[in-house]
Amino acid sequence: MGFRMGIVGLPNVGKSTLFNALTRTASAQAANFPFCTIEPNVGEVAVPDTRLDKLAGIAKSKQIIPTRMTFVDIAGLVKGASKGEGLGNQFLANIREVDAIAHVLRCFEDDDVTHVDGRVDPVSDAETIETELIIADMESLEKRLQNIVRKVKGGDKEAIQQERLMKDALAVLEEGKPARMVEVAEDDQKAWRMLQLLSSKPVLYVCNVNEADAATGNALSEKVAAMAAEQGNGHVVISAQIEEEISQLDAEEAAEFLEELGLEEAGLDRLIKAGYDLLHLETYFTVGPKEARAWTIKTGTQAPQAAGVIHGDFEKGFIRAETISYDDFIAHNGEQGAKDAGRMRAEGKSYTVKDGDVLHFLFNN
Ligand SMILES: Nc1nc2c(ncn2[C@@H]2O[C@H](COP(=O)(O)OP(=O)(O)O)[C@@H](O)[C@H]2O)c(=O)[nH]1
Ligand SMILES: [Mg+2]
């Protein structure tokens, strides 16, 4: 399905350092799964999941294929971007195309690295960027409202719904709040998403700290954590520089280095997982001797649509899904064992796939 996460932030906060670390780690793992850097600033990254390795071990799968997430390094945001300063419009167009925003905030002091505003204040930086997104949304809405006036007058139902949602959004934006704060009814969700408002995208704050603070965070990252909690957004603490160093090590060296730093898990893994949570994504697996593979779905997806992630024909001709939960697959040492223990279920069209399900789809051609 290709979920995309845009890395945004003021200049010199560590976006490219982070992006390089992410994609270098990905290309180092490329021997195991198809990987590509689509453009210089777009990269696909494997979603780390230890469950996949365990399943593959039991099934003796020849190939392990993790599910992937796309990261985009979106440069050029400065104060005034919504007015076309810096890379302005290009930047805004890039954000429109992502599902969520990883907002990198500088939480490190370093006199050698210039801050655009001459002081390190991540909360104020976050506000600067959010303000640009809010202004850009207001301007685009005002234009679009004018454009649909005639359709609304003509009684076009869709246009009337759009106008109502646009006005709801504008009312919130005019108070200086992001479109994320608008409460949207179930029936309006689809039309709402079509508005593609920049400030409606979920945000994950990435607190970029120095090496010494990587394990514990610091006073600045704590301020960000408090802000994120208040807004209902997520946050992770990462040292982009360390991640870049780790990305150049082999797995064993990396594990040693992490231990020295007092970290249990690479920050990039935490970042990717947090992105996954933020987007309400889940994983199901297909497992066999040829390959063990992870697939991404939205939480709440039903079996035919989950099958459709693999191939459109699977969805169209869906008959049923032979389903084993991850725990049962492990506990009974694989598909045959689970089957013998009566732990394989035949699930139909209305089954809501659960995170970790091992699925085998039956379908008509
Ligand atoms: N001291 C320190 N410097 C960092 C850290 N992360 C990035 N930098 C440096 O800050 C500068 C800007 O980083 P870059 O990734 O290019 O920022 P971008 O403009 O947001 O893409 C570079 O010189 C990086 O080496 C960090 O955690 N600590
Ligand atoms: Mg950069």
Side-chain angles (χ1 to χ4, degrees):
M1 250 191 288
F3 287 94
R4 292 164 77 88
M5 188 90 161
I7 303 176
V8 309
L10 289 174
N12 272 352
V13 295
K15 296 183 298 295
S16 296
T17 308
L18 183 69
F19 177 80
N20 291 338
L22 279 163
T23 49
R24 196 171 300 157
T25 307
S27 45
Q29 297 165 342
N32 296 327
F33 66 95
F35 156 81
C36 51
T37 304
I38 300 148
E39 287 166 48
N41 68 328
V42 182
E44 285 199 330
V45 171
V47 176
D49 194 329
T50 52
R51 295 176 301 181
L52 183 60
D53 299 304
K54 289 190 185 139
L55 294 170
I58 289 175
K60 302 194 173 57
S61 314
K62 281 214 181 70
Q63 219 190 354
I64 297 177
I65 307 178
T67 185
R68 289 171 292 170
M69 206 158 150
T70 303
F71 281 88
V72 189
D73 183 2
I74 303 178
L77 181 59
V78 289
K79 203 173 270 171
S82 57
K83 300 268 182 281
E85 307 252 341
L87 294 172
N89 292 332
Q90 178 56 37
F91 157 82
L92 298 169
N94 274 325
I95 297 192
R96 208 151 264 140
E97 289 165 8
V98 300
D99 299 298
I101 292 171
H103 185 159
V104 182
L105 293 170
R106 174 166 171 174
C107 297
F108 65 86
E109 305 276 356
D110 185 339
D111 292 339
D112 292 337
V113 180
T114 319
H115 187 290
V116 276
D117 293 334
R119 42 114 199 81
V120 177
D121 182 348
V123 170
S124 152
D125 288 356
E127 284 166 2
T128 299
I129 293 223
E130 185 126 286
T131 302
E132 291 304 322
L133 301 185
I134 288 171
I135 295 172
D137 280 343
M138 283 169 53
E139 288 182 351
S140 96
L141 284 176
E142 275 155 12
K143 266 193 219 128
R144 283 190 272 174
L145 273 169
Q146 284 174 6
N147 289 342
I148 61 166
V149 165
R150 198 175 299 161
K151 274 191 176 172
V152 171
K153 277 196 183 133
D156 182 299
K157 259 195 184 157
E158 225 169 272
I160 291 168
Q161 183 190 30
Q162 277 176 357
E163 184 188 51
R164 174 170 52 79
L165 292 173
M166 287 187 201
K167 285 185 173 166
D168 287 351
L170 262 182
V172 165
L173 294 165
E174 274 161 5
E175 287 175 39
K177 293 183 199 151
R180 211 174 301 121
M181 310 280 277
V182 176
E183 277 184 42
V184 182
E186 195 59 42
D187 286 348
D188 290 329
Q189 287 290 348
K190 202 169 162 205
W192 174 254
R193 279 196 300 275
M194 303 257 287
L195 294 181
Q196 287 193 308
L197 296 175
L198 304 177
S199 69
S200 72
K201 313 245 175 196
V203 171
L204 179 68
Y205 291 114
V206 179
C207 305
N208 186 15
V209 299
N210 273 330
E211 178 165 333
D213 299 329
T216 51
N218 59 27
L220 294 170
S221 69
E222 269 161 35
K223 281 191 190 156
V224 175
M227 168 182 69
E230 202 181 280
Q231 298 172 343
N233 285 323
H235 88 283
V236 285
V237 177
I238 270 189
S239 171
Q241 262 183 348
I242 292 183
E243 298 303 328
E244 202 181 25
E245 284 170 39
I246 291 176
S247 71
Q248 297 170 51
L249 304 174
D250 65 35
E252 202 175 311
E253 291 169 337
E256 267 172 39
F257 189 41
L258 285 174
E259 201 180 312
E260 265 170 45
L261 294 166
L263 294 167
E264 278 173 21
E265 193 180 19
L268 296 184
D269 288 1
R270 281 186 289 120
L271 171 67
I272 294 164
K273 283 185 194 163
Y276 221 60
D277 285 346
L278 183 71
L279 291 166
H280 304 289
L281 302 178
E282 288 183 350
T283 304
Y284 76 83
F285 303 102
T286 51
V287 180
K290 213 177 107 218
E291 63 177 42
R293 185 160 183 168
W295 304 89
T296 302
I297 50 169
K298 277 254 175 207
T299 301
T301 300
Q302 293 183 319
Q305 286 70 43
V309 174
I310 301 179
H311 199 289
D313 290 347
F314 281 29
E315 179 174 353
K316 258 194 288 176
F318 179 90
I319 302 170
R320 63 176 184 276
E322 292 178 346
T323 307
I324 305 170
S325 74
Y326 172 78
D327 288 341
D328 282 338
F329 196 99
I330 299 295
H332 300 287
N333 201 35
E335 184 176 317
Q336 193 58 47
K339 217 174 192 172
D340 294 345
R343 304 304 294 173
M344 184 192 273
R345 291 168 273 134
E347 300 287 5
K349 283 188 179 160
S350 60
Y351 176 64
T352 300
V353 174
K354 297 193 178 56
D355 186 53
D357 277 352
V358 178
L359 299 178
H360 178 70
F361 295 109
L362 301 173
F363 64 101
N364 280 320
N365 271 315

